[in-house]
Amino acid sequence: MTAHRGWLVLAVVCAVLGVVQLPWAPSRFGGVFLLALAVGCAGEGLVLCRQGRSRVCRALAMVGRVLFGLFLASFVAIQAIILCGMDTDPAAAEADYLLVLGARVYEDGHPSAALAARLDTAYDLLCADPDLSAVLCGGQGANEPCPEAEAMQRYLLRKGIAAERLLLEDSSSNTIENIENARALIGAGHKTAVVTSDYHLARARVLMARGGLDAVGVPAPTPYPAQRVAVHCREYCSILGLMLTGRW
């Protein structure tokens, strides 16, 4: 197989995998990511096809290969960071407060599967330690009927957790704001641990440390295996953004 055909085959594979993920909202980001990668691979295949007739195409083909190599190296390195950060920290057992990070709430007010998994993980920890409290973090998104923190509180109240053990941080729109607002809510001198999805834990630990809280984490499982491609692609972009802006 010639080089340009290899790139075009790779483009088709990425496009097919991307299109399959587009209809389902939790995996849509992965679909867009793969389709963007398909466009890049197709472009590389086309310039390789014409490089014998154009000096510009030869230069573009070289630039494309370098960029793809940098992308591949960074993607593998960041996935290694994500995978190595999925374990529970033993120090979580000493926490005074859990920071439970929010996720999507459906139109009927019920937590999404990802959010329910985080809350179930927090519930087990709260049941195991009666002195432990939780800060429920999450504001209201444009497609949500209420702040995520309120939906999280209702979920844990229904499972029997006392209201006085649940603090609400309901004005944030991202993880950095979650942590800043939670720190202001609980004050200084308390040991903390963050509960979030396993793929998100490595980034959450870094942001906890930068926010002046303990870089201690407890992973919640990702509910759907098919969702993993999307969430790992999204997390790659988020961590890369932190690295490029000097916040990692």
Side-chain angles (χ1 to χ4, degrees):
M1 182 183 294
T2 59
H4 79 275
R5 288 181 180 173
W7 284 99
L8 293 176
V9 169
L10 183 58
V12 170
V13 171
C14 290
V16 170
L17 293 175
V19 168
V20 167
Q21 295 193 64
L22 287 179
W24 190 41
S27 68
R28 192 163 294 149
F29 184 94
V32 174
F33 185 94
L34 288 168
L35 287 174
L37 189 57
V39 170
C41 291
E44 179 66 15
L46 292 174
V47 295
L48 278 173
C49 186
R50 298 180 59 85
Q51 68 175 343
R53 292 174 261 168
S54 169
R55 186 175 298 175
V56 173
C57 286
R58 284 197 296 273
L60 288 174
M62 179 61 70
V63 171
R65 287 194 293 270
V66 170
L67 291 176
F68 185 82
L70 291 173
F71 157 72
L72 196 59
S74 66
F75 189 83
V76 170
I78 289 175
Q79 294 308 316
I81 291 171
I82 294 170
L83 293 172
C84 290
M86 286 186 174
D87 294 331
T88 299
D89 289 299
E94 303 172 6
D96 303 311
Y97 287 94
L98 298 175
L99 272 67
V100 188
L101 302 186
R104 185 183 175 189
V105 174
Y106 292 132
E107 290 76 7
D108 61 2
H110 285 83
S112 61
L115 182 53
R118 297 179 187 187
L119 292 168
D120 289 340
T121 299
Y123 171 78
D124 291 340
L125 295 170
L126 290 166
C127 289
D129 183 356
D131 296 323
L132 186 63
S133 296
V135 182
L136 310 177
C137 302
Q140 183 173 357
N143 60 344
E144 294 176 318
C146 64
E148 293 166 2
E150 289 185 12
M152 296 161 75
Q153 181 190 46
R154 287 196 297 269
Y155 186 93
L156 290 173
L157 289 174
R158 285 197 298 269
K159 290 175 75 72
I161 301 299
E164 58 268 22
R165 300 178 69 189
L166 304 174
L167 284 70
L168 270 64
E169 186 290 291
D170 58 3
S171 60
S172 57
S173 59
N174 57 53
T175 304
I176 294 174
E177 292 179 2
N178 286 157
I179 293 169
E180 290 176 348
N181 295 342
R183 182 187 178 190
L185 190 63
I186 65 178
H190 299 289
K191 294 182 178 179
T192 55
V194 64
V195 177
T196 188
S197 300
D198 49 13
Y199 65 86
H200 184 232
L201 198 57
R203 178 161 59 100
R205 283 195 184 101
V206 171
L207 296 177
M208 289 278 284
R210 291 186 66 85
L213 298 176
D214 299 309
V216 174
V218 180
T222 300
Y224 303 116
Q227 194 180 3
R228 283 204 168 273
V229 173
V231 296
H232 278 256
C233 290
R234 184 172 63 210
E235 197 63 13
Y236 162 76
C237 294
S238 298
I239 291 177
L240 183 63
L242 291 178
M243 290 178 171
L244 293 176
T245 54
R247 293 177 292 166
W248 184 261

